[in-house]
Amino acid sequence: HERFISNMIAGISGIDFGLLVIAADDGPMPQTIEHLAIFQLLGVKNCAIAITKIDKVTLRQLEQTNYSVKKLISKTNFSKAKIFPVSSKTKKGLNFLINYLKNRASNLKKEKDEGYFRLSIDRSFLIKGSGIVITGTVISGKVNLGDKLVHSASGYSVTIRKIRSQSKESEIGYIGQRCSLNITGRKINLNHISRGDWILAKEVCAPTKRLDAVLTILKNEVNKFKHWTPVHLYLGTGKVTCRISILQNSFIPPGGNEYVQIIMSKPVYALFGDRFVIRDISSTRTIGGGSIIDPFAESNFRNKNSLIQKLRLMSPLNHQNALNNLINHNIAGIDLELFSTIRNLTFSELENLLKSIDI
């Protein structure tokens, strides 16, 4: 389970809908609780629940498992999630689950392909006659055949030779899709590429070692989360060791949330709104997670109260609201280029934003 969690966290980025699978003969396990918590920390808004192996239990056991599941989800965002008892062996209940998932998928709104392209790499390999192929989930923007992008860790330029999105040959890859990209570049080779690296547009290829964020600690944590605690930060498909500086208090209680500054041991590539998870320094327990507000945090801030006020002003998801907040509270003006990088706004998106407000 501990080894699998990093795959689960990496794969859930950009997911709209989750399926939580619980065996009828085991019932909810500690890992069930952890997966459910990660769903919420990473912003997955909807899920369904499959209770499997119903052919192996009595009706009474099934009712007990069903009761335990309902109790487990009652205090989460998924309290109204549909539960489907199924058996792979007898096929009982499977059609109901499949039809439900198809119906939910068809009704999901396609996300807008706004912002510059970013893909967090989970695998890389060579294909004879084609060269380097990388796979991952598109976090933002879109990619076209022939696009010139950057490999984050090396800084080398790459060109997109082929695209497979959702397991089909394609000329374009969109936000939320699983993509494999056949890349070519004069300097790049397979040894340069690792899991957790990014393929992205040069406009947002900006490494950082400090992140200002809002952090939520899980309710089932036994102890308070203390200032300057070392943890593993899971972001995209990568993980990095870091320390957490709590800006307002010396600790965060279980279930609480606070503004924090995250100081990494090595650079990462992050932008506003990116979700993350933290696990303890031994990587055996999920502690909490949250959302990034300022990916280019100040390293020598003097006044914590003014920093917290700045983070509140930057926090709205709506770009127009955030920009209005910053303009109204900064007499000396703000750096629009930095604002557009933090928010991953293309040049045309920034132009349209500026036209919509009195600046």
Side-chain angles (χ1 to χ4, degrees):
H1 170 67
E2 287 166 20
R3 291 196 302 271
F4 174 68
I5 275 290
S6 60
N7 278 343
M8 184 266 188
I9 294 171
I12 210 170
S13 299
I15 295 297
D16 297 296
F17 192 97
L19 179 67
L20 189 67
V21 181
I22 300 168
D25 52 346
D26 288 331
M29 303 287 280
Q31 55 264 40
T32 313
I33 297 167
E34 189 168 13
H35 280 267
L36 197 57
I38 291 169
F39 266 15
Q40 295 178 92
L41 293 171
L42 291 180
V44 178
K45 294 181 175 63
N46 297 288
C47 83
I49 297 164
I51 298 179
T52 60
K53 302 182 182 179
I54 60 171
D55 54 283
K56 294 184 73 173
V57 298
T58 64
L59 184 59
R60 186 170 180 176
Q61 283 176 294
L62 180 58
E63 286 173 352
Q64 181 60 46
T65 300
N66 198 51
Y67 172 78
S68 300
V69 170
K70 285 182 177 178
K71 188 177 178 182
L72 176 66
I73 64 174
S74 64
K75 295 179 182 178
T76 71
N77 301 343
F78 312 117
S79 57
K80 295 181 180 178
K82 285 193 174 291
I83 300 172
F84 294 87
V86 298
S87 167
S88 296
K89 192 173 182 179
T90 67
K91 310 300 180 188
K92 187 175 180 179
L94 281 179
N95 280 337
F96 292 111
L97 174 60
I98 290 166
N99 290 334
Y100 179 76
L101 293 177
K102 283 181 177 178
N103 183 53
R104 291 304 302 259
S106 65
N107 289 323
L108 279 172
K109 291 180 181 177
K110 184 183 172 185
E111 290 191 64
K112 295 177 182 177
D113 54 348
E114 294 173 342
Y116 290 107
F117 178 76
R118 295 192 302 149
L119 178 143
S120 190
I121 299 170
D122 54 35
R123 289 192 305 139
S124 58
F125 47 90
L126 285 173
I127 291 183
K128 194 173 181 180
S130 294
I132 300 170
V133 173
I134 60 98
T135 68
T137 302
V138 182
I139 304 300
S140 65
K142 61 182 177 181
V143 62
N144 297 282
L145 288 174
D147 279 358
K148 293 191 180 301
L149 301 166
V150 179
H151 170 240
S152 63
S154 66
Y156 292 152
S157 177
V158 300
T159 303
I160 305 304
R161 182 189 280 174
K162 286 182 184 177
I163 300 171
R164 283 181 68 84
S165 60
Q166 305 299 101
S167 305
K168 295 178 183 177
E169 290 284 340
S170 179
E171 292 187 0
I172 190 166
Y174 289 101
I175 180 172
Q177 289 185 333
R178 287 286 305 168
C179 278
S180 65
L181 305 178
N182 180 198
I183 60 173
T184 180
R186 202 165 57 183
K187 296 181 179 178
I188 194 86
N189 66 56
L190 196 61
N191 295 328
H192 295 133
I193 303 171
S194 301
R195 180 190 176 91
D197 292 352
W198 294 77
I199 296 292
L200 33 63
K202 68 179 187 300
E203 289 85 354
V204 286
C205 187
T208 179
K209 290 186 77 171
R210 287 177 182 265
L211 306 166
D212 286 335
V214 61
L215 170 65
T216 300
I217 300 301
L218 293 178
K219 290 178 184 177
N220 59 359
E221 278 294 287
V222 176
N223 300 314
K224 300 170 183 174
F225 183 80
K226 294 179 182 177
H227 173 78
W228 209 241
T229 298
V231 293
H232 282 280
L233 177 84
Y234 289 75
L235 181 70
T237 56
K239 73 171 180 175
V240 60
T241 55
C242 64
R243 285 188 179 269
I244 307 283
S245 171
I246 303 170
L247 297 180
Q248 209 159 14
N249 298 299
S250 58
F251 64 87
I252 307 175
N257 61 76
E258 292 278 354
Y259 290 115
V260 299
Q261 185 164 107
I262 305 169
I263 298 95
M264 269 81 58
S265 59
K266 64 179 185 179
V268 298
Y269 293 78
L271 295 176
F272 172 85
D274 286 352
R275 313 282 305 198
F276 63 87
V277 165
I278 60 168
R279 305 190 85 220
D280 68 337
I281 200 63
S282 60
S283 272
T284 58
R285 191 179 85 256
T286 299
I287 298 172
S291 179
I292 293 162
I293 300 171
D294 186 355
F296 310 116
E298 301 171 48
S299 60
N300 56 348
F301 58 88
R302 293 181 182 179
N303 188 326
K304 287 186 178 180
N305 289 333
S306 64
L307 176 57
I308 289 166
Q309 185 193 28
K310 176 187 167 186
L311 295 179
R312 286 187 180 127
L313 297 174
M314 294 176 70
S315 291
L317 293 175
N318 182 280
H319 302 313
Q320 184 175 326
N321 292 344
L323 185 54
N324 267 325
N325 284 350
L326 292 169
I327 290 169
N328 292 332
H329 288 81
N330 287 276
I331 296 168
I334 68 162
D335 183 337
L336 281 177
E337 188 176 347
L338 179 61
F339 178 84
S340 62
T341 302
I342 288 171
R343 292 265 168 170
N344 191 13
L345 299 172
T346 64
F347 184 74
S348 60
E349 287 165 1
L350 179 62
E351 274 195 323
N352 289 335
L353 178 60
L354 298 180
K355 287 174 187 174
S356 70
I357 60 177
D358 182 19
I359 220 170

